[in-house]
Amino acid sequence: MKAHRIIRILLLLVVCSTEAVLAQDKQNMFNPVNTSVTSLAIAPDARAGAMGDIGAATEADVYSQYWNPAKYPFNIARAGVGVSYTPWLRKLVNDINLANLTGFYRIGDYSAVHASLRYFSLGEVYLADMDDMTIRPYEMAIDAGYSRMLSETFSMGVNLRFILSDIKYDYTAESSAGKAFAADIAMYRLGYFMAGNRECSFGWGINISNIGSKISYGGSDNSEFIPTNLRIGCNLTIPFNEYNKFSIGLDLNKLLVPTYPMKKEDEADNDYEDRVQKDYYDVSSIAGMFKSFGDAPGGFKEEMQEIQYSFGAEYTYNDRFMLRAGYHHEAENKGNRKYFTVGAGFHMSVFSVDASYVFSTAQTNPLDQTMRFSLGFDLDGMRDLFGKMRRR
């Protein structure tokens, strides 16, 4: 089995519900956008996970590195560190998980540096046909970035990322882990306006993530696309009084990756393989970004189906306690990830803790009952706390 075939199997496990592939009439329509390193598309934190996986324009927090790094200069805290853990696909297996470590530091009042490390473990895989070998495939990404306010209301940010995908099934000389380099380009605007006697805020953000090289695995003649993604979002925050506020946001996502060609009814196998090679594998990553806007076999209708949308809401009491809910939608023939999310958070001057839970609209969806947990530490608060302890 080629390494890129393993990637497609992993993708199908992550994004498709069993209902979408059991019915024959729907199976003929099923045509998701295929990418390698699918773990890069998994939300790392519980706050965004509880709001339907939105984050392009929500208020800045320690996990903005993943959603929109341009938000960091607007963060109230001077510096912070976040740690999160997500058990993944628990409906199928019990040893797949995502761990994430994120940190940032604001330089002065107008810029920030930030970095993160994410590790996605696929657990143990037993290979009976490979001398009873047990392997532990994983995917990892390390990134660092810089963001700066260009005005009082507008900022931009960039990330540079190294990606390692070790999902090889053998250890011969021809087999090796896949490596790739990528970058994110993001922008964010946050403005304020008066509604009666309330000062409300409205923000919008754009993040084009994972712009970079294709990834190649040893033993395969073709390289695969990484999940280059366009995320556009907006967020409105309304304070009711000194202690209560409410925010609602919307994100739109589109993978900037060509659609894998489907075989035509009267097309010979050799002709189909030649067309796949020319229209998919021989396409560069940058050319693929532009090609992704107009290559769906079903035309404009199918192109629109490749856009995922998420919306979420957050209620905050006294900047200490938060309740959240959201919904994520993906077209049935593009993966069928449709689920509701709920969660809560608790924030103190030193740390914050968040949790989220997924309710799938399809009982057979492997994402159902997914939980996320994340911790955030305000380094300014910790410094003040230690200072008080020393004075005592």
Side-chain angles (χ1 to χ4, degrees):
M1 180 182 293
K2 297 289 187 181
H4 65 274
R5 294 297 181 187
I6 296 179
I7 299 171
R8 288 208 181 89
I9 294 174
L10 294 175
L11 175 67
L12 291 176
L13 287 175
V14 173
V15 302
C16 71
S17 71
T18 307
E19 290 182 351
V21 295
L22 287 179
Q24 184 63 38
D25 56 338
K26 294 181 180 180
Q27 187 176 11
N28 295 333
M29 299 168 55
F30 192 69
N31 189 28
V33 179
N34 297 330
T35 70
S36 60
V37 202
T38 56
S39 63
L40 292 177
I42 301 175
D45 64 304
R47 181 198 179 202
M51 300 171 66
D53 292 345
I54 68 171
T58 52
E59 293 183 359
D61 63 8
V62 67
Y63 292 100
S64 298
Q65 177 79 345
Y66 177 83
W67 301 101
N68 187 341
K71 297 192 297 183
Y72 275 120
F74 290 89
N75 205 310
I76 297 176
R78 175 68 60 181
V81 175
V83 181
S84 64
Y85 176 77
T86 303
W88 197 244
L89 297 181
R90 282 298 188 260
K91 298 278 285 186
L92 300 179
V93 293
N94 60 6
D95 58 354
I96 297 180
N97 57 78
L98 171 68
N100 184 85
L101 174 65
T102 304
F104 77 95
Y105 178 78
R106 284 199 298 115
I107 305 172
D109 296 327
Y110 301 102
S111 61
V113 291
H114 28 86
S116 72
L117 166 66
R118 55 192 289 136
Y119 183 87
F120 183 68
S121 172
L122 290 165
E124 294 186 351
V125 180
Y126 176 71
L127 302 177
D129 58 344
M130 296 290 295
D131 298 327
D132 294 331
M133 179 185 295
T134 298
I135 62 174
R136 295 173 176 83
Y138 69 93
E139 294 179 338
M140 181 178 68
I142 304 173
D143 51 52
Y146 175 79
S147 54
R148 182 174 180 82
M149 294 177 64
L150 304 181
S151 72
E152 293 297 327
T153 61
F154 181 76
S155 64
M156 295 190 69
V158 295
N159 284 329
L160 297 178
R161 178 172 297 109
F162 171 71
I163 302 166
L164 176 66
S165 178
D166 190 355
I167 58 173
K168 57 188 178 182
Y169 65 95
D170 62 33
Y171 292 85
T172 63
E174 295 181 352
S175 179
S176 63
K179 302 178 181 67
F181 293 90
D184 305 341
I185 300 176
M187 59 184 66
Y188 177 63
R189 186 184 187 281
L190 179 63
Y192 295 88
F193 65 94
M194 298 300 297
N197 60 348
R198 303 184 182 94
E199 185 181 54
C200 305
S201 65
F202 180 79
W204 60 262
I206 300 174
N207 184 22
I208 306 177
S209 58
N210 298 316
I211 307 170
S213 62
K214 298 170 73 173
I215 192 168
S216 179
Y217 298 85
S220 174
D221 296 330
N222 295 313
S223 55
E224 301 286 338
F225 290 95
I226 62 177
T228 306
N229 184 76
L230 170 63
R231 180 183 299 274
I232 301 174
C234 60
N235 188 78
L236 173 66
T237 300
I238 304 173
F240 296 119
N241 51 46
E242 182 181 357
Y243 298 100
N244 300 275
K245 66 179 179 180
F246 180 80
S247 66
I248 185 170
L250 169 70
D251 273 16
L252 302 177
N253 289 275
K254 181 178 180 0
L255 283 170
L256 303 183
V257 175
T259 304
Y260 194 83
M262 298 185 69
K263 185 177 181 180
K264 302 176 182 178
E265 293 184 1
D266 57 348
E267 188 174 21
D269 291 342
N270 291 338
D271 293 339
Y272 173 63
E273 293 176 0
D274 292 342
R275 184 164 62 89
V276 169
Q277 187 69 42
K278 177 182 177 181
D279 295 344
Y280 189 79
Y281 288 113
D282 291 345
V283 176
S284 68
S285 58
I286 301 301
M289 292 174 59
F290 295 98
K291 189 174 186 293
S292 66
F293 288 100
D295 66 340
F300 179 76
K301 179 180 179 181
E302 186 173 344
E303 287 292 346
M304 296 302 295
Q305 291 174 343
E306 291 182 356
I307 299 176
Q308 305 170 36
Y309 64 82
S310 306
F311 57 85
E314 179 181 55
Y315 163 74
T316 304
Y317 174 74
N318 198 27
D319 291 328
R320 290 288 184 264
F321 181 70
M322 286 73 68
L323 292 176
R324 307 176 179 115
Y327 176 73
H328 179 91
H329 178 88
E330 183 178 52
E332 188 170 350
N333 64 319
K334 291 298 177 178
N336 200 33
R337 286 182 298 174
K338 302 174 184 177
Y339 50 82
F340 291 95
T341 60
V342 294
F346 184 71
H347 177 73
M348 296 294 291
S349 59
V350 176
F351 73 95
S352 61
V353 56
D354 299 284
S356 66
Y357 189 80
V358 172
F359 295 95
S360 174
T361 58
Q363 294 182 354
T364 54
N365 191 330
L367 296 181
D368 189 33
Q369 302 178 23
T370 296
M371 296 194 69
R372 290 186 178 91
F373 306 92
S374 55
L375 291 173
F377 298 91
D378 186 337
L379 299 187
D380 283 343
M382 295 180 67
R383 182 184 60 185
D384 294 342
L385 177 62
F386 291 146
K388 293 178 181 179
M389 294 174 64
R390 285 197 299 266
R391 287 193 294 270
R392 291 178 181 177

